Amino acid sequence: MPRNIAYLRVSTLDQDLEKNKSDILHLANEKNLGKVEFVQEKVSGKVSWKQRKIGPLLEDLKKGDAILLSEFSRLGRSMLECMEIISIAVQKGIRIYTVKGNWQLDDTIQSKVMAMVFSMASEIERDLISKRTRESLASKKLAGVKLGRPKGPGKSKLDKFKPEIEALLNNGSTQKFIAKRYQVTEATLSNWIKKNQVKK
């Protein structure tokens, strides 16, 4: 049986929480979704989605499962995070329903078009982050700061991109996206991140 997960993220436990639960149950009833499981956490929006319950939840859910939300903004701390989560969910065949706006992302043509738009917007935002990072590095270089990897054996081609990779990770980019950008395997990137203690 498909799972229906209602994800509730709150900064403070207030009276709106019970209303959100009630609204989500009403939505599930309207859509004839069946039993709803609630996943709730009290956490700041500043915490990356990968370090919140939505991260492992997105990994565990399968095609046909559904995520129910009071609104899209409950997913992430920024538009980029929200769009990335939505794009991943739709690619995996996970449906998303929201109370606010009555959005529904599933296997319909309309949803696929929306998912494509979300994916494109995420790519544009990542490119803008990358561009800002490169401009920052160029500014440091002009100021006399030495950039790039030092000469010698045993160095990775990723070393000179460490500040940019850290920025991409901190802004929610996936390792798959970063590995593709720098033309390495995900395993190589993962090992390099651990070896260099790159902050996420």
Side-chain angles (χ1 to χ4, degrees), residues 25-193:
L25 288 173
H26 181 71
L27 175 69
N29 186 54
E30 274 190 341
K31 304 292 183 184
N32 294 316
L33 297 178
K35 182 181 176 182
V36 176
E37 302 172 49
F38 283 91
V39 173
Q40 179 183 321
E41 62 182 335
K42 181 182 177 183
V43 64
S44 168
K46 293 179 181 178
V47 178
S48 170
W49 68 272
K50 294 174 185 175
Q51 273 117 31
R52 292 190 277 108
K53 291 181 181 179
I54 190 67
L57 180 64
L58 198 59
E59 291 238 353
D60 291 343
L61 292 179
K62 305 287 191 298
K63 183 176 181 180
D65 292 339
I67 297 174
L68 289 78
L69 305 161
S70 58
E71 55 186 283
F72 276 135
S73 64
R74 295 294 86 194
L75 285 175
R77 59 182 175 172
S78 67
M79 185 181 292
L80 174 59
E81 277 204 346
C82 293
M83 290 187 299
E84 185 167 36
I85 293 169
I86 292 165
S87 179
I88 291 170
V90 174
Q91 284 173 25
K92 288 185 68 175
I94 300 166
R95 295 166 294 153
I96 301 179
Y97 300 92
T98 69
V99 174
K100 187 175 181 179
N102 196 29
W103 292 100
Q104 178 174 324
L105 295 181
D106 46 29
D107 58 355
T108 62
I109 293 297
Q110 180 187 16
S111 294
K112 288 176 181 176
V113 170
M114 286 179 65
M116 183 179 70
V117 172
F118 281 132
S119 180
M120 287 172 62
S122 297
E123 181 73 18
I124 291 167
E125 181 66 16
R126 290 192 195 99
D127 285 343
L128 288 172
I129 291 167
S130 180
K131 182 175 182 290
R132 289 195 294 268
T133 304
R134 288 197 300 269
E135 287 173 350
S136 176
L137 293 173
S139 177
K140 288 181 180 179
K141 188 175 182 181
L142 287 173
V145 178
K146 286 189 176 181
L147 302 174
R149 62 179 178 179
K151 293 181 180 179
K155 300 295 181 181
S156 168
K157 64 184 283 190
L158 297 172
D159 290 346
K160 63 180 177 180
F161 300 114
K162 185 175 179 181
E164 184 174 333
I165 292 171
E166 283 185 339
L168 289 168
L169 286 169
N170 286 329
N171 281 280
S173 294
T174 62
Q175 289 191 22
K176 182 178 181 181
F177 168 81
I178 295 171
K180 185 177 179 182
R181 176 179 287 272
Y182 297 106
Q183 298 180 332
V184 296
T185 64
E186 286 185 62
T188 297
L189 175 65
S190 181
N191 289 333
W192 178 85
I193 287 172

Side-chain angles (χ1 to χ4, degrees), residues 5-21:
I5 308 295
Y7 175 69
L8 297 168
R9 176 177 66 81
V10 289
S11 298
T12 56
L13 292 172
D14 54 27
Q15 60 185 11
D16 289 337
L17 184 59
E18 290 305 317
K19 183 179 184 304
N20 288 341
K21 285 183 177 180

